[in-house]
């Protein structure tokens, strides 16, 4: 994962800028609990598909160990359903790693049924409520064109 340091004022920490971006795009009409649930599910896929996104394990001053997390921020965006459909198509056309969450997944209760619900629908017919992706900053920005930062 390529990063570079941006200049900062004397006495302030250096700003680390990543050449890649992790982004989640949510459909704007989701309930708050759905937004959180969808985001958590989506980013779990990126960590397994792109292992270099995961940093080193954490530990506190007492030596208590904690799980590693992403090495870079996750940016969360929102938009209308049509925007998710077009962003999904743009991400696929750029061969970016993408995780999807469809409306049908709110009615399933396990991983097997989740996968079956997605598999039952052609790509163009997916009722997307969220997607997560990772890639070069400029490619992710183009995929998310028209989206706004989640409030």
């Amino acid at each position: 994962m390529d990063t570079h340091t941006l200049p900062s004022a004397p006495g302030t920490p250096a700003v680390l800028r990543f050449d890649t971006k992790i982004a989640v795009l949510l459909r704007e009409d989701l309930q708050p609990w759905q937004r959180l649930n969808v985001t958590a599910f989506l980013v779990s896929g990126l960590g397994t598909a792109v292992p270099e996104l995961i940093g080193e394990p954490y530990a506190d001053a007492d030596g208590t160990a904690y799980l590693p997390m992403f090495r870079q921020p996750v940016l969360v965006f929102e938009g209308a359903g049509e925007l998710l459909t077009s962003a999904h198509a743009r991400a696929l056309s750029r061969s970016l790693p993408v995780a999807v969450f469809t409306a049908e997944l709110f009615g399933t209760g396990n991983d097997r049924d989740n996968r079956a619900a997605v598999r039952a629908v052609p790509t163009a017919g997916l009722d997307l409520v969220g997607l997560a992706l990772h890639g070069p900053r400029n490619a992710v920005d183009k995929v998310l064109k028209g989206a706004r930062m989640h409030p």
Side-chain angles (χ1 to χ4, degrees), residues 60-104:
D60 63 26
D62 294 325
T64 304
Y66 301 100
L67 295 171
M69 296 185 281
F70 287 129
R71 299 172 66 112
Q72 66 186 88
V74 176
L75 302 172
V76 181
F77 297 84
E78 68 176 7
E82 299 80 22
L83 178 64
L84 268 85
T85 300
S86 61
H88 179 245
R90 289 191 295 261
L92 293 178
S93 74
R94 287 172 170 77
S95 299
L96 297 175
V98 180
V100 296
F101 197 104
T102 64
E104 293 81 8

Side-chain angles (χ1 to χ4, degrees), residues 12 55 75 85 97 105 108 113 116 120 131 139:
T12 61
L75 302 172
T85 300
L105 301 187
T108 60
D113 292 341
L131 60 89

Side-chain angles (χ1 to χ4, degrees), residues 136-149:
R137 292 180 69 81
N138 61 347
V140 172
D141 290 342
K142 287 177 183 175
V143 166
L144 296 175
K145 185 176 173 133
R148 60 190 173 278
M149 288 294 292

Side-chain angles (χ1 to χ4, degrees), residues 1-149:
M1 180 173 335
D2 296 328
T3 61
H4 57 277
T5 305
L6 299 176
S8 60
T12 61
V15 177
L16 189 61
R17 179 174 168 95
F18 294 90
D19 293 329
T20 62
K21 186 180 273 189
I22 300 171
V24 173
L25 176 59
L26 301 171
R27 199 171 69 193
E28 63 192 359
D29 63 347
L30 296 179
Q31 296 296 313
W33 73 267
Q34 292 173 317
R35 291 170 183 258
L36 295 170
N37 184 270
V38 170
T39 299
F41 268 94
L42 288 171
V43 297
S44 70
L46 290 177
T48 59
V50 191
E52 63 270 17
L53 289 176
I54 305 298
E56 297 296 320
Y58 285 72
D60 63 26
D62 294 325
T64 304
Y66 301 100
L67 295 171
M69 296 185 281
F70 287 129
R71 299 172 66 112
Q72 66 186 88
V74 176
L75 302 172
V76 181
F77 297 84
E78 68 176 7
E82 299 80 22
L83 178 64
L84 268 85
T85 300
S86 61
H88 179 245
R90 289 191 295 261
L92 293 178
S93 74
R94 287 172 170 77
S95 299
L96 297 175
V98 180
V100 296
F101 197 104
T102 64
E104 293 81 8
L105 301 187
F106 289 124
T108 60
N110 60 74
D111 184 53
R112 184 193 69 227
D113 292 341
N114 286 351
R115 285 183 283 110
V118 173
R119 187 181 336 249
V121 180
T123 304
L126 293 172
D127 185 6
L128 296 167
V129 298
L131 60 89
L133 63 145
H134 169 260
R137 292 180 69 81
N138 61 347
V140 172
D141 290 342
K142 287 177 183 175
V143 166
L144 296 175
K145 185 176 173 133
R148 60 190 173 278
M149 288 294 292

